[in-house]
Amino acid sequence: MALVGSGSAVPSTRLSNEALSTRVDTSDDWIRSRTGIGARRIAGPHEGLTQLASEAAQACLDQAGWRADQVDLIVLATSSPDDLFGTAPRIQAALGASNAVAFDLTAACSGFLFALITAGQYLAGGTMQRALVIGADQLSRWVDWDDRRTCVLFGDGAGAVAVEACPAEHTGLLAFRMRSDGSRNACLTLAQTHTHTPLLEGVTAQRGGFAPIQMNGQEVYKFAVREVPAVLADLLDTTGISADQLDWLLLHQANQRILDAVADRFAVPHGRVLSNLAHYGNTSAATIPLMLDEAVRDGRVQPGHLLASSGFGAGLSWGGALLRWRGPGGRGC
Ligand code: UT7
């Protein structure tokens, strides 16, 4: 598959560390020095995930030069859908992508990468030509705003990438890995809660809800700095590509210290590590496409550039991919 377009959208409300510190027992200094985050965007009552993701997807269609009715597949990676039955069909309707099949995929902060790889399999199978892969989350709706260990980390956003079928020798998905370890699931959860609802004698139903995000930050940090370099090293070994051939590291934006640690492991200069944590914090499934779109639009990522990408987070789940950006109107497909 070839990566031919990108788009993104964030809510207009900006919440700075300073402003947050007036509500929670934290400080700009603590948040910046421990995470690199300076601010995050927060969705308002009328800014649902469908709207944010549709805006990102439309910008992506425009950049790729596609009409909505040319799209065969829409995969939405999210852990905070507007509707647990699926939000991707709402995006399909909002775009007018009447020929596309649309479904959600959940793998937390690895979700976008897993969705991109999934879309790649459909395109490689030959039955589909064009796919929109969207990563979008609104975790501001699911954090405990009294828990300073988590509420300072997350923000809302959406990003999308347009991919099209392509001969194998021109693929932009050079290699990938996907991993899960459910035995460590308790390290990071947005788990269902239920309350007893007696129905009849001997029959009690459970009414569902969700508890706010719980995270063992130190365990997740150790997991990330161990597994992300390992999966990227595996990809480089398999492909025979060396780290100095990479134009960019495009990692899940969770913590600047994680980005720096991965870069140092491969001796990649910090200037080649894409980061927008200072502006948006951790937008979960959205971080990778949001970052990619910013770097494509400001000209840092150019056609032909090679990117090493990795997503990691709840599940626990993690993965990596070596990607070559083609951009709109490129040749080779
Ligand atoms: O997207 C999914 C993947 N997620 C991640 O990759 C997150 C990985 N984890 C991390 O990035 C880091 O573990 C955190 C940023 C979450 C936390 O940083 P840390 O350096 O591991 O801090 P800590 O949890 O060890 O806490 C150190 C201290 C504690 O105080 P004491 O016990 O030493 O007195 C915390 O209570 O910092 C305190 N603390 C805070 N202080 C001010 C925790 N959160 C805050 C806060 N403001 N917001």
PDB file of all heavy atoms in Angstrom, residues 4-41:
ATOM      1  N   VAL A   4      -0.745   8.116   0.878  1.00  0.00           N
ATOM      2  CA  VAL A   4      -0.881   9.204  -0.097  1.00  0.00           C
ATOM      3  C   VAL A   4      -1.547  10.470   0.434  1.00  0.00           C
ATOM      4  O   VAL A   4      -1.689  11.443  -0.298  1.00  0.00           O
ATOM      5  CB  VAL A   4      -1.641   8.720  -1.352  1.00  0.00           C
ATOM      6  CG1 VAL A   4      -0.900   7.565  -2.018  1.00  0.00           C
ATOM      7  CG2 VAL A   4      -3.066   8.304  -1.024  1.00  0.00           C
ATOM      8  N   GLY A   5      -1.989  10.475   1.686  1.00  0.00           N
ATOM      9  CA  GLY A   5      -2.607  11.694   2.208  1.00  0.00           C
ATOM     10  C   GLY A   5      -2.746  11.625   3.715  1.00  0.00           C
ATOM     11  O   GLY A   5      -2.727  10.540   4.306  1.00  0.00           O
ATOM     12  N   SER A   6      -2.859  12.804   4.318  1.00  0.00           N
ATOM     13  CA  SER A   6      -3.043  12.857   5.772  1.00  0.00           C
ATOM     14  C   SER A   6      -3.942  14.040   6.125  1.00  0.00           C
ATOM     15  O   SER A   6      -4.085  14.985   5.340  1.00  0.00           O
ATOM     16  CB  SER A   6      -1.697  13.007   6.482  1.00  0.00           C
ATOM     17  OG  SER A   6      -1.106  14.252   6.161  1.00  0.00           O
ATOM     18  N   GLY A   7      -4.546  13.966   7.289  1.00  0.00           N
ATOM     19  CA  GLY A   7      -5.381  15.065   7.782  1.00  0.00           C
ATOM     20  C   GLY A   7      -5.487  14.956   9.291  1.00  0.00           C
ATOM     21  O   GLY A   7      -5.229  13.888   9.853  1.00  0.00           O
ATOM     22  N   SER A   8      -5.867  16.037   9.943  1.00  0.00           N
ATOM     23  CA  SER A   8      -6.011  15.982  11.395  1.00  0.00           C
ATOM     24  C   SER A   8      -6.961  17.068  11.875  1.00  0.00           C
ATOM     25  O   SER A   8      -7.280  18.004  11.131  1.00  0.00           O
ATOM     26  CB  SER A   8      -4.650  16.122  12.099  1.00  0.00           C
ATOM     27  OG  SER A   8      -4.058  17.356  11.786  1.00  0.00           O
ATOM     28  N   ALA A   9      -7.398  16.923  13.112  1.00  0.00           N
ATOM     29  CA  ALA A   9      -8.285  17.920  13.721  1.00  0.00           C
ATOM     30  C   ALA A   9      -8.157  17.815  15.232  1.00  0.00           C
ATOM     31  O   ALA A   9      -7.986  16.720  15.774  1.00  0.00           O
ATOM     32  CB  ALA A   9      -9.741  17.662  13.311  1.00  0.00           C
ATOM     33  N   VAL A  10      -8.219  18.964  15.887  1.00  0.00           N
ATOM     34  CA  VAL A  10      -8.220  18.988  17.357  1.00  0.00           C
ATOM     35  C   VAL A  10      -9.315  19.951  17.817  1.00  0.00           C
ATOM     36  O   VAL A  10      -9.666  20.891  17.091  1.00  0.00           O
ATOM     37  CB  VAL A  10      -6.855  19.437  17.945  1.00  0.00           C
ATOM     38  CG1 VAL A  10      -5.779  18.396  17.715  1.00  0.00           C
ATOM     39  CG2 VAL A  10      -6.421  20.784  17.385  1.00  0.00           C
ATOM     40  N   PRO A  11      -9.849  19.738  19.007  1.00  0.00           N
ATOM     41  CA  PRO A  11     -10.852  20.683  19.524  1.00  0.00           C
ATOM     42  C   PRO A  11     -10.220  22.054  19.752  1.00  0.00           C
ATOM     43  O   PRO A  11      -9.009  22.154  19.943  1.00  0.00           O
ATOM     44  CB  PRO A  11     -11.271  20.065  20.866  1.00  0.00           C
ATOM     45  CG  PRO A  11     -10.736  18.691  20.890  1.00  0.00           C
ATOM     46  CD  PRO A  11      -9.576  18.639  19.961  1.00  0.00           C
ATOM     47  N   SER A  12     -11.050  23.089  19.767  1.00  0.00           N
ATOM     48  CA  SER A  12     -10.498  24.446  19.883  1.00  0.00           C
ATOM     49  C   SER A  12     -10.082  24.801  21.308  1.00  0.00           C
ATOM     50  O   SER A  12      -9.195  25.626  21.511  1.00  0.00           O
ATOM     51  CB  SER A  12     -11.517  25.464  19.371  1.00  0.00           C
ATOM     52  OG  SER A  12     -12.729  25.275  20.053  1.00  0.00           O
ATOM     53  N   THR A  13     -10.665  24.153  22.312  1.00  0.00           N
ATOM     54  CA  THR A  13     -10.344  24.534  23.695  1.00  0.00           C
ATOM     55  C   THR A  13      -8.981  23.979  24.112  1.00  0.00           C
ATOM     56  O   THR A  13      -8.748  22.769  24.079  1.00  0.00           O
ATOM     57  CB  THR A  13     -11.422  24.015  24.670  1.00  0.00           C
ATOM     58  OG1 THR A  13     -12.673  24.565  24.273  1.00  0.00           O
ATOM     59  CG2 THR A  13     -11.107  24.421  26.106  1.00  0.00           C
ATOM     60  N   ARG A  14      -8.090  24.901  24.513  1.00  0.00           N
ATOM     61  CA  ARG A  14      -6.732  24.537  24.936  1.00  0.00           C
ATOM     62  C   ARG A  14      -6.669  24.638  26.448  1.00  0.00           C
ATOM     63  O   ARG A  14      -7.105  25.642  27.019  1.00  0.00           O
ATOM     64  CB  ARG A  14      -5.742  25.496  24.280  1.00  0.00           C
ATOM     65  CG  ARG A  14      -4.292  25.271  24.638  1.00  0.00           C
ATOM     66  CD  ARG A  14      -3.410  26.275  23.876  1.00  0.00           C
ATOM     67  NE  ARG A  14      -2.012  26.134  24.232  1.00  0.00           N
ATOM     68  CZ  ARG A  14      -1.436  26.734  25.276  1.00  0.00           C
ATOM     69  NH1 ARG A  14      -2.140  27.528  26.050  1.00  0.00           N
ATOM     70  NH2 ARG A  14      -0.150  26.537  25.528  1.00  0.00           N
ATOM     71  N   LEU A  15      -6.124  23.609  27.073  1.00  0.00           N
ATOM     72  CA  LEU A  15      -5.974  23.611  28.528  1.00  0.00           C
ATOM     73  C   LEU A  15      -4.481  23.536  28.833  1.00  0.00           C
ATOM     74  O   LEU A  15      -3.837  22.503  28.621  1.00  0.00           O
ATOM     75  CB  LEU A  15      -6.724  22.408  29.131  1.00  0.00           C
ATOM     76  CG  LEU A  15      -6.640  22.224  30.646  1.00  0.00           C
ATOM     77  CD1 LEU A  15      -7.197  23.435  31.397  1.00  0.00           C
ATOM     78  CD2 LEU A  15      -7.389  20.954  31.059  1.00  0.00           C
ATOM     79  N   SER A  16      -3.915  24.647  29.318  1.00  0.00           N
ATOM     80  CA  SER A  16      -2.471  24.688  29.589  1.00  0.00           C
ATOM     81  C   SER A  16      -2.173  24.024  30.933  1.00  0.00           C
ATOM     82  O   SER A  16      -3.070  23.863  31.776  1.00  0.00           O
ATOM     83  CB  SER A  16      -1.990  26.140  29.622  1.00  0.00           C
ATOM     84  OG  SER A  16      -2.536  26.783  30.762  1.00  0.00           O
ATOM     85  N   ASN A  17      -0.895  23.685  31.132  1.00  0.00           N
ATOM     86  CA  ASN A  17      -0.488  23.138  32.430  1.00  0.00           C
ATOM     87  C   ASN A  17      -0.785  24.132  33.548  1.00  0.00           C
ATOM     88  O   ASN A  17      -1.224  23.744  34.635  1.00  0.00           O
ATOM     89  CB  ASN A  17       1.015  22.846  32.430  1.00  0.00           C
ATOM     90  CG  ASN A  17       1.387  21.695  31.508  1.00  0.00           C
ATOM     91  OD1 ASN A  17       0.526  20.936  31.082  1.00  0.00           O
ATOM     92  ND2 ASN A  17       2.678  21.571  31.213  1.00  0.00           N
ATOM     93  N   GLU A  18      -0.528  25.404  33.270  1.00  0.00           N
ATOM     94  CA  GLU A  18      -0.743  26.430  34.305  1.00  0.00           C
ATOM     95  C   GLU A  18      -2.211  26.452  34.724  1.00  0.00           C
ATOM     96  O   GLU A  18      -2.527  26.485  35.917  1.00  0.00           O
ATOM     97  CB  GLU A  18      -0.355  27.829  33.796  1.00  0.00           C
ATOM     98  CG  GLU A  18       1.135  28.055  33.618  1.00  0.00           C
ATOM     99  CD  GLU A  18       1.626  27.562  32.268  1.00  0.00           C
ATOM    100  OE1 GLU A  18       0.833  26.963  31.506  1.00  0.00           O
ATOM    101  OE2 GLU A  18       2.824  27.761  31.973  1.00  0.00           O
ATOM    102  N   ALA A  19      -3.107  26.429  33.720  1.00  0.00           N
ATOM    103  CA  ALA A  19      -4.535  26.459  34.043  1.00  0.00           C
ATOM    104  C   ALA A  19      -4.939  25.205  34.814  1.00  0.00           C
ATOM    105  O   ALA A  19      -5.673  25.283  35.807  1.00  0.00           O
ATOM    106  CB  ALA A  19      -5.352  26.596  32.755  1.00  0.00           C
ATOM    107  N   LEU A  20      -4.430  24.057  34.384  1.00  0.00           N
ATOM    108  CA  LEU A  20      -4.781  22.798  35.055  1.00  0.00           C
ATOM    109  C   LEU A  20      -4.286  22.807  36.510  1.00  0.00           C
ATOM    110  O   LEU A  20      -4.940  22.259  37.405  1.00  0.00           O
ATOM    111  CB  LEU A  20      -4.170  21.632  34.267  1.00  0.00           C
ATOM    112  CG  LEU A  20      -4.578  20.215  34.641  1.00  0.00           C
ATOM    113  CD1 LEU A  20      -6.085  20.045  34.679  1.00  0.00           C
ATOM    114  CD2 LEU A  20      -3.963  19.226  33.655  1.00  0.00           C
ATOM    115  N   SER A  21      -3.147  23.457  36.726  1.00  0.00           N
ATOM    116  CA  SER A  21      -2.558  23.500  38.076  1.00  0.00           C
ATOM    117  C   SER A  21      -3.408  24.284  39.065  1.00  0.00           C
ATOM    118  O   SER A  21      -3.213  24.161  40.277  1.00  0.00           O
ATOM    119  CB  SER A  21      -1.172  24.160  38.040  1.00  0.00           C
ATOM    120  OG  SER A  21      -0.378  23.559  37.084  1.00  0.00           O
ATOM    121  N   THR A  22      -4.339  25.079  38.548  1.00  0.00           N
ATOM    122  CA  THR A  22      -5.221  25.801  39.471  1.00  0.00           C
ATOM    123  C   THR A  22      -6.347  24.895  39.977  1.00  0.00           C
ATOM    124  O   THR A  22      -7.055  25.249  40.903  1.00  0.00           O
ATOM    125  CB  THR A  22      -5.852  27.050  38.807  1.00  0.00           C
ATOM    126  OG1 THR A  22      -6.698  26.612  37.733  1.00  0.00           O
ATOM    127  CG2 THR A  22      -4.784  28.004  38.269  1.00  0.00           C
ATOM    128  N   ARG A  23      -6.499  23.722  39.339  1.00  0.00           N
ATOM    129  CA  ARG A  23      -7.561  22.805  39.744  1.00  0.00           C
ATOM    130  C   ARG A  23      -7.035  21.544  40.415  1.00  0.00           C
ATOM    131  O   ARG A  23      -7.675  20.975  41.275  1.00  0.00           O
ATOM    132  CB  ARG A  23      -8.398  22.421  38.518  1.00  0.00           C
ATOM    133  CG  ARG A  23      -9.649  21.668  38.878  1.00  0.00           C
ATOM    134  CD  ARG A  23     -10.351  21.101  37.681  1.00  0.00           C
ATOM    135  NE  ARG A  23     -11.613  20.513  38.077  1.00  0.00           N
ATOM    136  CZ  ARG A  23     -11.735  19.336  38.662  1.00  0.00           C
ATOM    137  NH1 ARG A  23     -10.673  18.609  38.911  1.00  0.00           N
ATOM    138  NH2 ARG A  23     -12.931  18.881  38.996  1.00  0.00           N
ATOM    139  N   VAL A  24      -5.845  21.087  39.961  1.00  0.00           N
ATOM    140  CA  VAL A  24      -5.268  19.837  40.456  1.00  0.00           C
ATOM    141  C   VAL A  24      -3.928  20.173  41.109  1.00  0.00           C
ATOM    142  O   VAL A  24      -3.260  21.129  40.703  1.00  0.00           O
ATOM    143  CB  VAL A  24      -5.019  18.859  39.273  1.00  0.00           C
ATOM    144  CG1 VAL A  24      -4.569  17.497  39.765  1.00  0.00           C
ATOM    145  CG2 VAL A  24      -6.265  18.721  38.415  1.00  0.00           C
ATOM    146  N   ASP A  25      -3.517  19.352  42.076  1.00  0.00           N
ATOM    147  CA  ASP A  25      -2.259  19.599  42.787  1.00  0.00           C
ATOM    148  C   ASP A  25      -1.077  19.154  41.907  1.00  0.00           C
ATOM    149  O   ASP A  25      -0.549  18.053  42.050  1.00  0.00           O
ATOM    150  CB  ASP A  25      -2.268  18.824  44.117  1.00  0.00           C
ATOM    151  CG  ASP A  25      -0.982  19.039  44.894  1.00  0.00           C
ATOM    152  OD1 ASP A  25      -0.264  20.023  44.601  1.00  0.00           O
ATOM    153  OD2 ASP A  25      -0.700  18.215  45.787  1.00  0.00           O
ATOM    154  N   THR A  26      -0.712  20.027  40.960  1.00  0.00           N
ATOM    155  CA  THR A  26       0.398  19.744  40.062  1.00  0.00           C
ATOM    156  C   THR A  26       1.016  21.072  39.657  1.00  0.00           C
ATOM    157  O   THR A  26       0.641  22.121  40.180  1.00  0.00           O
ATOM    158  CB  THR A  26      -0.089  18.936  38.834  1.00  0.00           C
ATOM    159  OG1 THR A  26       1.036  18.536  38.065  1.00  0.00           O
ATOM    160  CG2 THR A  26      -1.044  19.739  37.954  1.00  0.00           C
ATOM    161  N   SER A  27       1.989  21.024  38.743  1.00  0.00           N
ATOM    162  CA  SER A  27       2.630  22.271  38.313  1.00  0.00           C
ATOM    163  C   SER A  27       3.117  22.115  36.873  1.00  0.00           C
ATOM    164  O   SER A  27       3.372  20.999  36.411  1.00  0.00           O
ATOM    165  CB  SER A  27       3.820  22.589  39.215  1.00  0.00           C
ATOM    166  OG  SER A  27       4.801  21.573  39.055  1.00  0.00           O
ATOM    167  N   ASP A  28       3.263  23.252  36.206  1.00  0.00           N
ATOM    168  CA  ASP A  28       3.816  23.235  34.854  1.00  0.00           C
ATOM    169  C   ASP A  28       5.199  22.581  34.863  1.00  0.00           C
ATOM    170  O   ASP A  28       5.518  21.774  33.997  1.00  0.00           O
ATOM    171  CB  ASP A  28       3.898  24.674  34.320  1.00  0.00           C
ATOM    172  CG  ASP A  28       4.507  24.730  32.937  1.00  0.00           C
ATOM    173  OD1 ASP A  28       4.017  24.022  32.045  1.00  0.00           O
ATOM    174  OD2 ASP A  28       5.502  25.463  32.759  1.00  0.00           O
ATOM    175  N   ASP A  29       5.989  22.908  35.878  1.00  0.00           N
ATOM    176  CA  ASP A  29       7.351  22.376  35.961  1.00  0.00           C
ATOM    177  C   ASP A  29       7.327  20.839  36.050  1.00  0.00           C
ATOM    178  O   ASP A  29       8.057  20.156  35.335  1.00  0.00           O
ATOM    179  CB  ASP A  29       8.057  22.988  37.175  1.00  0.00           C
ATOM    180  CG  ASP A  29       9.483  22.496  37.253  1.00  0.00           C
ATOM    181  OD1 ASP A  29      10.185  22.603  36.235  1.00  0.00           O
ATOM    182  OD2 ASP A  29       9.880  21.962  38.317  1.00  0.00           O
ATOM    183  N   TRP A  30       6.458  20.288  36.926  1.00  0.00           N
ATOM    184  CA  TRP A  30       6.411  18.823  37.079  1.00  0.00           C
ATOM    185  C   TRP A  30       5.987  18.191  35.755  1.00  0.00           C
ATOM    186  O   TRP A  30       6.624  17.242  35.278  1.00  0.00           O
ATOM    187  CB  TRP A  30       5.435  18.398  38.186  1.00  0.00           C
ATOM    188  CG  TRP A  30       5.576  16.936  38.550  1.00  0.00           C
ATOM    189  CD1 TRP A  30       6.319  16.408  39.564  1.00  0.00           C
ATOM    190  CD2 TRP A  30       4.996  15.810  37.855  1.00  0.00           C
ATOM    191  NE1 TRP A  30       6.246  15.032  39.560  1.00  0.00           N
ATOM    192  CE2 TRP A  30       5.438  14.632  38.519  1.00  0.00           C
ATOM    193  CE3 TRP A  30       4.169  15.670  36.750  1.00  0.00           C
ATOM    194  CZ2 TRP A  30       5.057  13.347  38.107  1.00  0.00           C
ATOM    195  CZ3 TRP A  30       3.803  14.374  36.336  1.00  0.00           C
ATOM    196  CH2 TRP A  30       4.241  13.242  37.015  1.00  0.00           C
ATOM    197  N   ILE A  31       4.919  18.697  35.153  1.00  0.00           N
ATOM    198  CA  ILE A  31       4.384  18.048  33.948  1.00  0.00           C
ATOM    199  C   ILE A  31       5.403  18.132  32.802  1.00  0.00           C
ATOM    200  O   ILE A  31       5.688  17.140  32.123  1.00  0.00           O
ATOM    201  CB  ILE A  31       3.029  18.662  33.521  1.00  0.00           C
ATOM    202  CG1 ILE A  31       2.008  18.570  34.659  1.00  0.00           C
ATOM    203  CG2 ILE A  31       2.488  17.952  32.287  1.00  0.00           C
ATOM    204  CD1 ILE A  31       0.729  19.362  34.420  1.00  0.00           C
ATOM    205  N   ARG A  32       5.981  19.322  32.595  1.00  0.00           N
ATOM    206  CA  ARG A  32       6.947  19.472  31.495  1.00  0.00           C
ATOM    207  C   ARG A  32       8.189  18.618  31.701  1.00  0.00           C
ATOM    208  O   ARG A  32       8.655  17.948  30.780  1.00  0.00           O
ATOM    209  CB  ARG A  32       7.385  20.935  31.375  1.00  0.00           C
ATOM    210  CG  ARG A  32       6.495  21.733  30.479  1.00  0.00           C
ATOM    211  CD  ARG A  32       7.060  23.133  30.283  1.00  0.00           C
ATOM    212  NE  ARG A  32       5.987  24.019  29.905  1.00  0.00           N
ATOM    213  CZ  ARG A  32       5.575  24.177  28.647  1.00  0.00           C
ATOM    214  NH1 ARG A  32       6.173  23.530  27.669  1.00  0.00           N
ATOM    215  NH2 ARG A  32       4.572  24.985  28.376  1.00  0.00           N
ATOM    216  N   SER A  33       8.724  18.636  32.925  1.00  0.00           N
ATOM    217  CA  SER A  33       9.987  17.923  33.135  1.00  0.00           C
ATOM    218  C   SER A  33       9.782  16.408  33.107  1.00  0.00           C
ATOM    219  O   SER A  33      10.655  15.668  32.671  1.00  0.00           O
ATOM    220  CB  SER A  33      10.657  18.369  34.433  1.00  0.00           C
ATOM    221  OG  SER A  33       9.798  18.087  35.508  1.00  0.00           O
ATOM    222  N   ARG A  34       8.614  15.922  33.540  1.00  0.00           N
ATOM    223  CA  ARG A  34       8.379  14.464  33.559  1.00  0.00           C
ATOM    224  C   ARG A  34       7.826  13.919  32.253  1.00  0.00           C
ATOM    225  O   ARG A  34       7.927  12.723  32.005  1.00  0.00           O
ATOM    226  CB  ARG A  34       7.389  14.110  34.671  1.00  0.00           C
ATOM    227  CG  ARG A  34       7.826  14.453  36.065  1.00  0.00           C
ATOM    228  CD  ARG A  34       8.788  13.425  36.612  1.00  0.00           C
ATOM    229  NE  ARG A  34       9.214  13.787  37.959  1.00  0.00           N
ATOM    230  CZ  ARG A  34       9.414  12.911  38.935  1.00  0.00           C
ATOM    231  NH1 ARG A  34       9.255  11.626  38.721  1.00  0.00           N
ATOM    232  NH2 ARG A  34       9.809  13.319  40.124  1.00  0.00           N
ATOM    233  N   THR A  35       7.186  14.792  31.449  1.00  0.00           N
ATOM    234  CA  THR A  35       6.492  14.264  30.263  1.00  0.00           C
ATOM    235  C   THR A  35       6.751  15.040  28.972  1.00  0.00           C
ATOM    236  O   THR A  35       6.519  14.517  27.886  1.00  0.00           O
ATOM    237  CB  THR A  35       4.950  14.285  30.465  1.00  0.00           C
ATOM    238  OG1 THR A  35       4.502  15.647  30.453  1.00  0.00           O
ATOM    239  CG2 THR A  35       4.536  13.635  31.767  1.00  0.00           C
ATOM    240  N   GLY A  36       7.131  16.305  29.067  1.00  0.00           N
ATOM    241  CA  GLY A  36       7.253  17.154  27.879  1.00  0.00           C
ATOM    242  C   GLY A  36       5.947  17.812  27.468  1.00  0.00           C
ATOM    243  O   GLY A  36       5.908  18.582  26.502  1.00  0.00           O
ATOM    244  N   ILE A  37       4.885  17.525  28.206  1.00  0.00           N
ATOM    245  CA  ILE A  37       3.567  18.081  27.835  1.00  0.00           C
ATOM    246  C   ILE A  37       3.433  19.515  28.377  1.00  0.00           C
ATOM    247  O   ILE A  37       3.806  19.787  29.527  1.00  0.00           O
ATOM    248  CB  ILE A  37       2.429  17.193  28.398  1.00  0.00           C
ATOM    249  CG1 ILE A  37       2.487  15.794  27.770  1.00  0.00           C
ATOM    250  CG2 ILE A  37       1.052  17.843  28.154  1.00  0.00           C
ATOM    251  CD1 ILE A  37       1.605  14.753  28.456  1.00  0.00           C
ATOM    252  N   GLY A  38       2.923  20.410  27.497  1.00  0.00           N
ATOM    253  CA  GLY A  38       2.709  21.790  27.920  1.00  0.00           C
ATOM    254  C   GLY A  38       1.240  22.172  27.952  1.00  0.00           C
ATOM    255  O   GLY A  38       0.827  23.056  28.693  1.00  0.00           O
ATOM    256  N   ALA A  39       0.448  21.510  27.112  1.00  0.00           N
ATOM    257  CA  ALA A  39      -0.990  21.809  27.014  1.00  0.00           C
ATOM    258  C   ALA A  39      -1.665  20.623  26.339  1.00  0.00           C
ATOM    259  O   ALA A  39      -0.993  19.731  25.806  1.00  0.00           O
ATOM    260  CB  ALA A  39      -1.219  23.077  26.197  1.00  0.00           C
ATOM    261  N   ARG A  40      -2.979  20.627  26.379  1.00  0.00           N
ATOM    262  CA  ARG A  40      -3.765  19.593  25.692  1.00  0.00           C
ATOM    263  C   ARG A  40      -5.052  20.251  25.223  1.00  0.00           C
ATOM    264  O   ARG A  40      -5.432  21.330  25.706  1.00  0.00           O
ATOM    265  CB  ARG A  40      -4.049  18.367  26.577  1.00  0.00           C
ATOM    266  CG  ARG A  40      -5.003  18.532  27.728  1.00  0.00           C
ATOM    267  CD  ARG A  40      -4.439  19.276  28.937  1.00  0.00           C
ATOM    268  NE  ARG A  40      -3.307  18.636  29.594  1.00  0.00           N
ATOM    269  CZ  ARG A  40      -2.254  19.291  30.095  1.00  0.00           C
ATOM    270  NH1 ARG A  40      -2.190  20.616  30.060  1.00  0.00           N
ATOM    271  NH2 ARG A  40      -1.268  18.663  30.683  1.00  0.00           N
ATOM    272  N   ARG A  41      -5.735  19.611  24.258  1.00  0.00           N
ATOM    273  CA  ARG A  41      -7.029  20.101  23.775  1.00  0.00           C
ATOM    274  C   ARG A  41      -8.139  19.264  24.388  1.00  0.00           C
ATOM    275  O   ARG A  41      -7.992  18.042  24.535  1.00  0.00           O
ATOM    276  CB  ARG A  41      -7.103  20.019  22.247  1.00  0.00           C
ATOM    277  CG  ARG A  41      -6.044  20.842  21.531  1.00  0.00           C
ATOM    278  CD  ARG A  41      -6.167  22.317  21.838  1.00  0.00           C
ATOM    279  NE  ARG A  41      -5.143  23.092  21.157  1.00  0.00           N
ATOM    280  CZ  ARG A  41      -5.342  23.729  20.001  1.00  0.00           C
ATOM    281  NH1 ARG A  41      -6.526  23.695  19.415  1.00  0.00           N
ATOM    282  NH2 ARG A  41      -4.349  24.402  19.446  1.00  0.00           N
TER     283      ARG A  41
END
